[in-house]
Every structure is written in C-alpha cells, then in structure tokens.
C-alpha cells in the first residue's frame, strides 16, 4: 500500500503545473500526516503519564458514555454507538491509508484541472 501512495505522490509532483500548487499540496499533506502523528503521540503520552492504557481509559469512561447515549440528546451518536456494540478498534496505520488515498486522489483531480478545487491564486513571491 505504501508504494502505491509513493507512486501517486510522485505522479502528483511531476504533473503539478505551479510551484504554488506543489507547495500547497506539500503543506496539506504534511498537515494530514502531522495531525495523525499528534494523535498517536497524545495517546502514548497519556498512557505514560497516567499509567492507564487506552482500553483501561475507555472502561473508566463507560458510565459517562452510557449516560450520554441514554439521555436521548444525541440521537445520531446513540445510533452510531449502538451499531458498534461489538466495539471499535482504532488502527492508526489503517486510518492513515484510508485517508491518504482519497487525499492524493483529490490533489490529482485539482492539479489535473478536472476537479472542484479552487483555481490557484496569483500570489506574489515573498523574499
């Protein structure tokens, strides 16, 4: 899967018609990667600081979660949690791959001019 992502990114770089667009792609891609990395770091930091694993923390929050669901104030949240009665395992690697493909595909669509993305604004070069 990673090699496919690298090939997509390489194709994007080769087809970018504007250095501004290429920099925008770089910044957005970096933000995506950094955002997920921050989530991983926060999980590890919280576990190290508290000594409570992610699973243990979820068990501690069960009563509050059940109260929210039972309140009826959040019907969509209640429906989602009911459909996940067997649980939900968050796998950052899978989540990363799940988001990366559509992100790169979206960049390709915009770069190739066939998508709904904004036209690249004329920006002055700052020195």
């Amino acid at each position: 899967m990673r090699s496919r992502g690298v090939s997509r990114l390489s194709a994007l770089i080769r087809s970018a018609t504007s250095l501004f667009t290429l920099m925008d792609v770089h910044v957005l891609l970096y933000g995506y990667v950094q955002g997920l990395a921050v989530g991983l770091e926060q999980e590890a930091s919280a576990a190290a600081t508290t000594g409570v694993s992610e699973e243990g923390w979820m068990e501690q929050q069960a009563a509050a979660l059940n109260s929210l669901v039972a309140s009826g104030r959040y019907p969509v949240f209640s429906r989602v949690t009911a459909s996940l009665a067997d649980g939900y395992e968050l796998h950052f690697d899978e989540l990363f791959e799940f988001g990366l493909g559509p992100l790169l595909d979206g960049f390709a669509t915009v770069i190739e001019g066939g998508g709904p993305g904004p036209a690249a604004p004329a920006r002055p070069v700052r020195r």
Side-chain angles (χ1 to χ4, degrees):
M1 198 64 130
R2 285 200 176 125
S3 63
R4 186 173 69 173
V6 169
S7 339
R8 285 172 156 165
L9 185 56
S10 296
L12 282 174
I13 290 169
R14 285 191 304 274
S15 65
T17 57
S18 158
L19 292 178
F20 291 114
T21 301
L22 188 56
M23 277 307 293
D24 288 346
V25 166
H26 167 74
V27 169
L28 291 169
L29 187 57
Y30 180 82
Y32 173 74
V33 172
Q34 184 183 33
L36 285 174
V38 165
L40 280 171
E41 178 57 32
Q42 288 174 340
E43 292 283 332
S45 179
T49 301
T50 65
V52 178
S53 69
E54 178 185 345
E55 188 175 294
W57 186 86
M58 289 299 292
E59 288 172 6
Q60 292 174 357
Q61 305 306 310
L65 177 66
N66 290 336
S67 175
L68 277 175
V69 170
S71 75
R73 292 174 46 205
Y74 307 99
V76 173
F77 181 68
S78 297
R79 193 169 48 236
V80 168
T81 55
S83 70
L84 298 172
D86 292 333
Y88 172 78
E89 290 289 325
L90 179 62
H91 300 282
F92 278 100
D93 288 345
E94 292 172 16
L95 186 62
F96 179 81
E97 291 289 336
F98 177 74
L100 183 62
L103 184 64
L104 293 177
D105 291 344
F107 289 152
T109 301
V110 171
I111 288 171
E112 293 165 1
R123 296 183 235 175
V125 176
R126 297 182 187 151
R127 297 181 201 264

PDB file of all heavy atoms in Angstrom, residues 46-71:
ATOM      1  N   ALA A  46      -0.440  10.170  27.237  1.00  0.00           N
ATOM      2  CA  ALA A  46      -1.463   9.992  28.270  1.00  0.00           C
ATOM      3  C   ALA A  46      -1.276   8.665  29.000  1.00  0.00           C
ATOM      4  O   ALA A  46      -1.367   8.605  30.231  1.00  0.00           O
ATOM      5  CB  ALA A  46      -2.852  10.063  27.651  1.00  0.00           C
ATOM      6  N   ALA A  47      -0.990   7.617  28.263  1.00  0.00           N
ATOM      7  CA  ALA A  47      -0.774   6.306  28.890  1.00  0.00           C
ATOM      8  C   ALA A  47       0.457   6.326  29.783  1.00  0.00           C
ATOM      9  O   ALA A  47       0.448   5.786  30.892  1.00  0.00           O
ATOM     10  CB  ALA A  47      -0.643   5.231  27.820  1.00  0.00           C
ATOM     11  N   ALA A  48       1.521   6.989  29.323  1.00  0.00           N
ATOM     12  CA  ALA A  48       2.746   7.054  30.119  1.00  0.00           C
ATOM     13  C   ALA A  48       2.544   7.902  31.373  1.00  0.00           C
ATOM     14  O   ALA A  48       3.041   7.562  32.450  1.00  0.00           O
ATOM     15  CB  ALA A  48       3.886   7.631  29.274  1.00  0.00           C
ATOM     16  N   THR A  49       1.816   8.990  31.262  1.00  0.00           N
ATOM     17  CA  THR A  49       1.600   9.892  32.391  1.00  0.00           C
ATOM     18  C   THR A  49       0.678   9.291  33.439  1.00  0.00           C
ATOM     19  O   THR A  49       0.934   9.396  34.636  1.00  0.00           O
ATOM     20  CB  THR A  49       0.992  11.232  31.891  1.00  0.00           C
ATOM     21  OG1 THR A  49       1.891  11.814  30.951  1.00  0.00           O
ATOM     22  CG2 THR A  49       0.758  12.196  33.031  1.00  0.00           C
ATOM     23  N   THR A  50      -0.397   8.672  32.989  1.00  0.00           N
ATOM     24  CA  THR A  50      -1.411   8.172  33.922  1.00  0.00           C
ATOM     25  C   THR A  50      -1.215   6.715  34.311  1.00  0.00           C
ATOM     26  O   THR A  50      -1.751   6.272  35.325  1.00  0.00           O
ATOM     27  CB  THR A  50      -2.814   8.303  33.303  1.00  0.00           C
ATOM     28  OG1 THR A  50      -2.897   7.450  32.148  1.00  0.00           O
ATOM     29  CG2 THR A  50      -3.123   9.746  32.941  1.00  0.00           C
ATOM     30  N   GLY A  51      -0.505   5.971  33.481  1.00  0.00           N
ATOM     31  CA  GLY A  51      -0.366   4.539  33.722  1.00  0.00           C
ATOM     32  C   GLY A  51      -1.607   3.767  33.315  1.00  0.00           C
ATOM     33  O   GLY A  51      -1.726   2.575  33.589  1.00  0.00           O
ATOM     34  N   VAL A  52      -2.556   4.454  32.665  1.00  0.00           N
ATOM     35  CA  VAL A  52      -3.801   3.818  32.242  1.00  0.00           C
ATOM     36  C   VAL A  52      -3.742   3.605  30.725  1.00  0.00           C
ATOM     37  O   VAL A  52      -3.498   4.548  29.975  1.00  0.00           O
ATOM     38  CB  VAL A  52      -5.028   4.709  32.597  1.00  0.00           C
ATOM     39  CG1 VAL A  52      -6.317   4.073  32.103  1.00  0.00           C
ATOM     40  CG2 VAL A  52      -5.088   4.967  34.086  1.00  0.00           C
ATOM     41  N   SER A  53      -3.978   2.385  30.309  1.00  0.00           N
ATOM     42  CA  SER A  53      -3.966   2.078  28.875  1.00  0.00           C
ATOM     43  C   SER A  53      -5.194   2.684  28.207  1.00  0.00           C
ATOM     44  O   SER A  53      -6.157   3.095  28.876  1.00  0.00           O
ATOM     45  CB  SER A  53      -3.980   0.563  28.660  1.00  0.00           C
ATOM     46  OG  SER A  53      -5.232   0.029  29.064  1.00  0.00           O
ATOM     47  N   GLU A  54      -5.169   2.703  26.883  1.00  0.00           N
ATOM     48  CA  GLU A  54      -6.335   3.201  26.134  1.00  0.00           C
ATOM     49  C   GLU A  54      -7.579   2.386  26.489  1.00  0.00           C
ATOM     50  O   GLU A  54      -8.659   2.938  26.711  1.00  0.00           O
ATOM     51  CB  GLU A  54      -6.047   3.120  24.643  1.00  0.00           C
ATOM     52  CG  GLU A  54      -7.200   3.572  23.769  1.00  0.00           C
ATOM     53  CD  GLU A  54      -6.936   3.381  22.278  1.00  0.00           C
ATOM     54  OE1 GLU A  54      -5.782   3.160  21.883  1.00  0.00           O
ATOM     55  OE2 GLU A  54      -7.910   3.449  21.526  1.00  0.00           O
ATOM     56  N   GLU A  55      -7.407   1.079  26.553  1.00  0.00           N
ATOM     57  CA  GLU A  55      -8.529   0.202  26.894  1.00  0.00           C
ATOM     58  C   GLU A  55      -9.040   0.486  28.311  1.00  0.00           C
ATOM     59  O   GLU A  55     -10.244   0.557  28.557  1.00  0.00           O
ATOM     60  CB  GLU A  55      -8.107  -1.258  26.765  1.00  0.00           C
ATOM     61  CG  GLU A  55      -9.245  -2.239  26.921  1.00  0.00           C
ATOM     62  CD  GLU A  55      -8.787  -3.658  26.656  1.00  0.00           C
ATOM     63  OE1 GLU A  55      -8.427  -3.947  25.503  1.00  0.00           O
ATOM     64  OE2 GLU A  55      -8.789  -4.456  27.614  1.00  0.00           O
ATOM     65  N   GLY A  56      -8.108   0.677  29.243  1.00  0.00           N
ATOM     66  CA  GLY A  56      -8.491   0.991  30.616  1.00  0.00           C
ATOM     67  C   GLY A  56      -9.231   2.314  30.713  1.00  0.00           C
ATOM     68  O   GLY A  56     -10.213   2.446  31.459  1.00  0.00           O
ATOM     69  N   TRP A  57      -8.767   3.305  29.958  1.00  0.00           N
ATOM     70  CA  TRP A  57      -9.425   4.609  29.957  1.00  0.00           C
ATOM     71  C   TRP A  57     -10.843   4.486  29.426  1.00  0.00           C
ATOM     72  O   TRP A  57     -11.780   5.064  29.974  1.00  0.00           O
ATOM     73  CB  TRP A  57      -8.622   5.608  29.118  1.00  0.00           C
ATOM     74  CG  TRP A  57      -9.172   6.992  29.188  1.00  0.00           C
ATOM     75  CD1 TRP A  57      -8.903   7.940  30.125  1.00  0.00           C
ATOM     76  CD2 TRP A  57     -10.115   7.588  28.281  1.00  0.00           C
ATOM     77  NE1 TRP A  57      -9.607   9.088  29.863  1.00  0.00           N
ATOM     78  CE2 TRP A  57     -10.363   8.903  28.725  1.00  0.00           C
ATOM     79  CE3 TRP A  57     -10.757   7.147  27.142  1.00  0.00           C
ATOM     80  CZ2 TRP A  57     -11.226   9.771  28.081  1.00  0.00           C
ATOM     81  CZ3 TRP A  57     -11.631   8.011  26.490  1.00  0.00           C
ATOM     82  CH2 TRP A  57     -11.844   9.295  26.963  1.00  0.00           C
ATOM     83  N   MET A  58     -11.008   3.719  28.347  1.00  0.00           N
ATOM     84  CA  MET A  58     -12.348   3.524  27.782  1.00  0.00           C
ATOM     85  C   MET A  58     -13.269   2.847  28.796  1.00  0.00           C
ATOM     86  O   MET A  58     -14.441   3.219  28.918  1.00  0.00           O
ATOM     87  CB  MET A  58     -12.277   2.704  26.492  1.00  0.00           C
ATOM     88  CG  MET A  58     -11.665   3.452  25.318  1.00  0.00           C
ATOM     89  SD  MET A  58     -12.559   4.941  24.833  1.00  0.00           S
ATOM     90  CE  MET A  58     -14.074   4.243  24.195  1.00  0.00           C
ATOM     91  N   GLU A  59     -12.746   1.884  29.528  1.00  0.00           N
ATOM     92  CA  GLU A  59     -13.555   1.213  30.556  1.00  0.00           C
ATOM     93  C   GLU A  59     -13.970   2.203  31.638  1.00  0.00           C
ATOM     94  O   GLU A  59     -15.099   2.162  32.134  1.00  0.00           O
ATOM     95  CB  GLU A  59     -12.781   0.044  31.163  1.00  0.00           C
ATOM     96  CG  GLU A  59     -12.644  -1.132  30.218  1.00  0.00           C
ATOM     97  CD  GLU A  59     -11.708  -2.217  30.747  1.00  0.00           C
ATOM     98  OE1 GLU A  59     -11.238  -2.125  31.913  1.00  0.00           O
ATOM     99  OE2 GLU A  59     -11.421  -3.150  29.981  1.00  0.00           O
ATOM    100  N   GLN A  60     -13.061   3.112  32.007  1.00  0.00           N
ATOM    101  CA  GLN A  60     -13.376   4.123  33.018  1.00  0.00           C
ATOM    102  C   GLN A  60     -14.445   5.100  32.536  1.00  0.00           C
ATOM    103  O   GLN A  60     -15.176   5.675  33.345  1.00  0.00           O
ATOM    104  CB  GLN A  60     -12.124   4.912  33.407  1.00  0.00           C
ATOM    105  CG  GLN A  60     -11.099   4.113  34.163  1.00  0.00           C
ATOM    106  CD  GLN A  60      -9.816   4.911  34.385  1.00  0.00           C
ATOM    107  OE1 GLN A  60      -9.675   6.041  33.933  1.00  0.00           O
ATOM    108  NE2 GLN A  60      -8.867   4.306  35.100  1.00  0.00           N
ATOM    109  N   GLN A  61     -14.534   5.300  31.240  1.00  0.00           N
ATOM    110  CA  GLN A  61     -15.486   6.258  30.672  1.00  0.00           C
ATOM    111  C   GLN A  61     -16.836   5.625  30.316  1.00  0.00           C
ATOM    112  O   GLN A  61     -17.758   6.332  29.894  1.00  0.00           O
ATOM    113  CB  GLN A  61     -14.898   6.899  29.408  1.00  0.00           C
ATOM    114  CG  GLN A  61     -13.549   7.546  29.591  1.00  0.00           C
ATOM    115  CD  GLN A  61     -13.530   8.556  30.725  1.00  0.00           C
ATOM    116  OE1 GLN A  61     -14.390   9.420  30.795  1.00  0.00           O
ATOM    117  NE2 GLN A  61     -12.555   8.452  31.598  1.00  0.00           N
ATOM    118  N   ALA A  62     -16.968   4.321  30.516  1.00  0.00           N
ATOM    119  CA  ALA A  62     -18.177   3.606  30.072  1.00  0.00           C
ATOM    120  C   ALA A  62     -19.458   4.185  30.673  1.00  0.00           C
ATOM    121  O   ALA A  62     -20.448   4.372  29.964  1.00  0.00           O
ATOM    122  CB  ALA A  62     -18.060   2.121  30.392  1.00  0.00           C
ATOM    123  N   ALA A  63     -19.462   4.491  31.960  1.00  0.00           N
ATOM    124  CA  ALA A  63     -20.675   5.012  32.600  1.00  0.00           C
ATOM    125  C   ALA A  63     -21.078   6.358  31.996  1.00  0.00           C
ATOM    126  O   ALA A  63     -22.263   6.598  31.713  1.00  0.00           O
ATOM    127  CB  ALA A  63     -20.470   5.142  34.112  1.00  0.00           C
ATOM    128  N   ALA A  64     -20.110   7.243  31.782  1.00  0.00           N
ATOM    129  CA  ALA A  64     -20.412   8.554  31.199  1.00  0.00           C
ATOM    130  C   ALA A  64     -20.923   8.388  29.772  1.00  0.00           C
ATOM    131  O   ALA A  64     -21.877   9.065  29.359  1.00  0.00           O
ATOM    132  CB  ALA A  64     -19.170   9.447  31.230  1.00  0.00           C
ATOM    133  N   LEU A  65     -20.309   7.510  29.001  1.00  0.00           N
ATOM    134  CA  LEU A  65     -20.739   7.257  27.627  1.00  0.00           C
ATOM    135  C   LEU A  65     -22.157   6.711  27.607  1.00  0.00           C
ATOM    136  O   LEU A  65     -23.009   7.187  26.837  1.00  0.00           O
ATOM    137  CB  LEU A  65     -19.782   6.284  26.938  1.00  0.00           C
ATOM    138  CG  LEU A  65     -20.149   5.886  25.517  1.00  0.00           C
ATOM    139  CD1 LEU A  65     -20.066   7.083  24.582  1.00  0.00           C
ATOM    140  CD2 LEU A  65     -19.240   4.780  25.030  1.00  0.00           C
ATOM    141  N   ASN A  66     -22.428   5.738  28.462  1.00  0.00           N
ATOM    142  CA  ASN A  66     -23.768   5.146  28.518  1.00  0.00           C
ATOM    143  C   ASN A  66     -24.812   6.188  28.905  1.00  0.00           C
ATOM    144  O   ASN A  66     -25.933   6.179  28.396  1.00  0.00           O
ATOM    145  CB  ASN A  66     -23.797   3.961  29.484  1.00  0.00           C
ATOM    146  CG  ASN A  66     -23.017   2.783  28.951  1.00  0.00           C
ATOM    147  OD1 ASN A  66     -22.831   2.644  27.743  1.00  0.00           O
ATOM    148  ND2 ASN A  66     -22.532   1.948  29.853  1.00  0.00           N
ATOM    149  N   SER A  67     -24.439   7.103  29.788  1.00  0.00           N
ATOM    150  CA  SER A  67     -25.341   8.173  30.198  1.00  0.00           C
ATOM    151  C   SER A  67     -25.673   9.095  29.023  1.00  0.00           C
ATOM    152  O   SER A  67     -26.826   9.492  28.833  1.00  0.00           O
ATOM    153  CB  SER A  67     -24.707   8.961  31.345  1.00  0.00           C
ATOM    154  OG  SER A  67     -25.506  10.057  31.684  1.00  0.00           O
ATOM    155  N   LEU A  68     -24.659   9.439  28.236  1.00  0.00           N
ATOM    156  CA  LEU A  68     -24.884  10.277  27.050  1.00  0.00           C
ATOM    157  C   LEU A  68     -25.816   9.589  26.063  1.00  0.00           C
ATOM    158  O   LEU A  68     -26.746  10.205  25.533  1.00  0.00           O
ATOM    159  CB  LEU A  68     -23.562  10.578  26.343  1.00  0.00           C
ATOM    160  CG  LEU A  68     -22.727  11.719  26.868  1.00  0.00           C
ATOM    161  CD1 LEU A  68     -21.412  11.790  26.112  1.00  0.00           C
ATOM    162  CD2 LEU A  68     -23.467  13.030  26.748  1.00  0.00           C
ATOM    163  N   VAL A  69     -25.556   8.316  25.828  1.00  0.00           N
ATOM    164  CA  VAL A  69     -26.361   7.563  24.870  1.00  0.00           C
ATOM    165  C   VAL A  69     -27.803   7.467  25.356  1.00  0.00           C
ATOM    166  O   VAL A  69     -28.749   7.685  24.587  1.00  0.00           O
ATOM    167  CB  VAL A  69     -25.757   6.160  24.629  1.00  0.00           C
ATOM    168  CG1 VAL A  69     -26.699   5.276  23.836  1.00  0.00           C
ATOM    169  CG2 VAL A  69     -24.412   6.281  23.926  1.00  0.00           C
ATOM    170  N   ALA A  70     -27.989   7.183  26.645  1.00  0.00           N
ATOM    171  CA  ALA A  70     -29.332   7.006  27.205  1.00  0.00           C
ATOM    172  C   ALA A  70     -30.100   8.325  27.324  1.00  0.00           C
ATOM    173  O   ALA A  70     -31.330   8.312  27.395  1.00  0.00           O
ATOM    174  CB  ALA A  70     -29.231   6.342  28.579  1.00  0.00           C
ATOM    175  N   SER A  71     -29.412   9.447  27.319  1.00  0.00           N
ATOM    176  CA  SER A  71     -30.082  10.740  27.513  1.00  0.00           C
ATOM    177  C   SER A  71     -31.033  11.096  26.379  1.00  0.00           C
ATOM    178  O   SER A  71     -31.961  11.886  26.571  1.00  0.00           O
ATOM    179  CB  SER A  71     -29.042  11.861  27.661  1.00  0.00           C
ATOM    180  OG  SER A  71     -28.462  12.181  26.404  1.00  0.00           O
TER     181      SER A  71
END
